[in-house]
Amino acid sequence: MTEQDCLFCKIVNGDINADIVFENDSLIAFRDINPKAPTHVLLIPREHIATMNDLEDGHDTLAGELFLTAARIAADEGLADDGYRVVMNCNAAAGQSVFHIHLHLLGGRTMGWPPG
Ligand code: DGP
């Protein structure tokens, strides 16, 4: 998978439309095309990072920003008090299907545990 072929890089570049709920210089958050909960937002870095295994020391601020922004979006979506879940799948066994890291923000229903 090259950056040219990467679906989420195409969203970053504007080549594919998405329902964007937040963006800044380092990340974009948009609604999942196949939502698994009433609120299902994906937060992605603008930088192409294929999997969580590819995070490096220099990504610490970016990784923190993904979580902080997820919490702010959850609050904006009215999820903070009832609760919500954030998930990052890494590689095939976890179910990662798009190889550009993304934090799933899911809320608006009661979640089961453990996840499938
Ligand atoms: P994962 O399985 O963790 O790699 O999650 C990938 C998610 O990406 C999945 O929930 C569906 C979502 N997705 C795939 N293609 C698109 C797309 O073109 N637009 C949007 N908004 N979401 C997409």
Side-chain angles (χ1 to χ4, degrees):
M1 172 68 67
T2 68
E3 293 178 43
Q4 286 73 32
D5 298 328
C6 171
L7 182 64
F8 286 174
C9 283
K10 290 179 179 168
I11 289 177
V12 170
N13 295 334
D15 295 335
I16 293 178
N17 286 332
D19 184 0
I20 293 171
V21 298
F22 177 83
E23 61 183 318
N24 65 16
D25 287 348
S26 52
L27 63 85
I28 300 180
F30 54 90
R31 297 195 191 278
D32 195 291
I33 203 168
N34 184 17
K36 300 296 190 294
T39 295
H40 189 170
V41 171
L42 303 174
L43 296 97
I44 69 170
R46 289 185 184 275
E47 177 184 349
H48 180 82
I49 302 167
T51 80
M52 195 157 167
N53 293 334
D54 300 302
L55 285 170
E56 299 171 350
D57 287 347
H59 291 130
D60 51 357
T61 299
L62 178 63
E65 197 175 353
L66 287 169
F67 278 90
L68 278 170
T69 305
R72 290 184 184 130
I73 294 170
D76 289 346
E77 298 274 326
L79 302 173
D81 289 340
D82 281 351
Y84 56 89
R85 182 171 291 170
V86 291
V87 175
M88 185 175 288
N89 297 322
C90 180
N91 274 337
Q96 183 175 7
S97 61
V98 179
F99 287 84
H100 179 133
I101 62 167
H102 45 283
L103 194 61
H104 295 260
L105 165 63
L106 298 137
R109 66 169 172 82
T110 301
M111 306 281 164
W113 190 263

